[in-house]
Amino acid sequence: VLKVLSHIDSILRSPRAPPLIYRRSKGPVQNYIKENGQECGFEHLPLTIEMWADQLMALKDLHRSLRKLSLELVPCHTADPQDNRESIRVEDLQFIVDAILEEIENKEKNSQTPSLPTLFAIVSHFQKLFDVNSLNGVYPRMNEVYTKLGEMTNAMRNLHELLELDSSAPPTVVVDTVGKLCDIINENMMEQVQQLLGTQDIHSIINKLEEHECFFPPFQALIQDLLCLLEISNVDDILPTVQNLK
C-alpha cells in the first residue's frame, strides 16, 4: 500500500500534474514514512481522485458535445465507430476541434464562390439582356458578344489613333470629333462643287442641274442615232466618218 501511495504521490508532485491538484494538508494528518525517511501526506488523495473522476466524466460529455457540433459543421464526416468507447483522450477532442477549424477556414476561403441561385439569376439576367430564349443559346450568344466587343474595342482604338485622341477619351468624344470632320468634309465638298459649276449660289447650282437634265437626254439620243446611221460604235469616230462623207 505504501508503495502504491508513494507512486500516486509522486504522480501528483510531478511537473506534468496541474499546479492546483496537489495541496499539502496544513492540519494534523497521519503521515507515512517513505523509504528515504521523508514525510508524505496522502490525506488529499481522495479529493484529488474524485476531482479526476469528475473531469473524466466531463471529458466524455465534452466529447459528445463536440461530436454533435462536428456533425453540424462538418456533415461530410461520418461518426467514429469508437465514439462510445469508455476511455476518451484529450487527443480525440483535439482532433475534432482541428477538423472543425479546418472546415471553417475552408468555408471562409470559399465564401466568394457564388451559390446556385446566384448563378441561375446571372444566367437569367444574361438571357434577358441579350434576348436568349434557351440555355442552349447562352454560350453562342456569349461568343457573339465577345466577338462584337473585340471588334468594337479595336475600332475605338484605331479611331483614337487616327483622330490623335487620348486613349482615355470616352466614345462620346470620338463621335463628336468624327461629326466635326464630316462637317468639314461636307463644306469642302460644297466648295468644290461650286467651283466646278462656276457659281457660289445654291440656286444657281440647281438651275445648272436642271439645264443639264433638259439638254443631255436629246443630245444622247442624237449621238446614238449618228452611231447607228454611220454604222460605227465609237463616239470619237463620228467626226472622221462625217468628214470622209464630204
Side-chain angles (χ1 to χ4, degrees), residues 114-124:
S115 61
L116 287 178
T118 302
L119 294 176
F120 180 77
I122 293 174
V123 174
S124 299

Side-chain angles (χ1 to χ4, degrees), residues 173-186:
V173 175
V174 176
V175 173
D176 292 340
T177 305
V178 172
K180 292 177 181 178
L181 287 177
C182 291
D183 293 339
I184 295 174
I185 292 173
N186 291 333

Side-chain angles (χ1 to χ4, degrees), residues 130-217:
F130 298 100
D131 194 22
V132 182
N133 296 325
S134 64
L135 291 177
N136 294 331
V138 170
Y139 280 110
R141 186 56 57 87
M142 282 184 175
N143 294 332
E144 181 182 352
V145 171
Y146 178 79
T147 302
K148 294 296 183 182
L149 178 62
E151 293 176 355
M152 185 189 70
T153 302
N154 292 332
M156 291 298 295
R157 185 185 302 112
N158 293 334
L159 286 174
H160 279 91
E161 294 177 357
L162 290 174
L163 299 175
E164 297 181 354
L165 295 174
D166 188 80
S167 59
S168 60
T172 53
V173 175
V174 176
V175 173
D176 292 340
T177 305
V178 172
K180 292 177 181 178
L181 287 177
C182 291
D183 293 339
I184 295 174
I185 292 173
N186 291 333
E187 290 177 0
N188 292 336
M189 183 66 68
M190 182 62 66
E191 292 178 358
Q192 292 177 3
V193 172
Q194 292 175 352
Q195 293 177 0
L196 178 63
L197 297 178
T199 179
Q200 302 296 324
D201 187 4
I202 186 65
H203 295 290
S204 300
I205 296 175
I206 295 174
N207 293 333
K208 292 283 186 180
L209 292 175
E210 290 177 349
E211 292 176 359
H212 178 270
E213 290 180 355
C214 294
F215 169 78
F216 185 75

Side-chain angles (χ1 to χ4, degrees), residues 32 75-76 78 99 168 189:
Y32 295 89
C76 58
T78 57
S168 60
M189 183 66 68

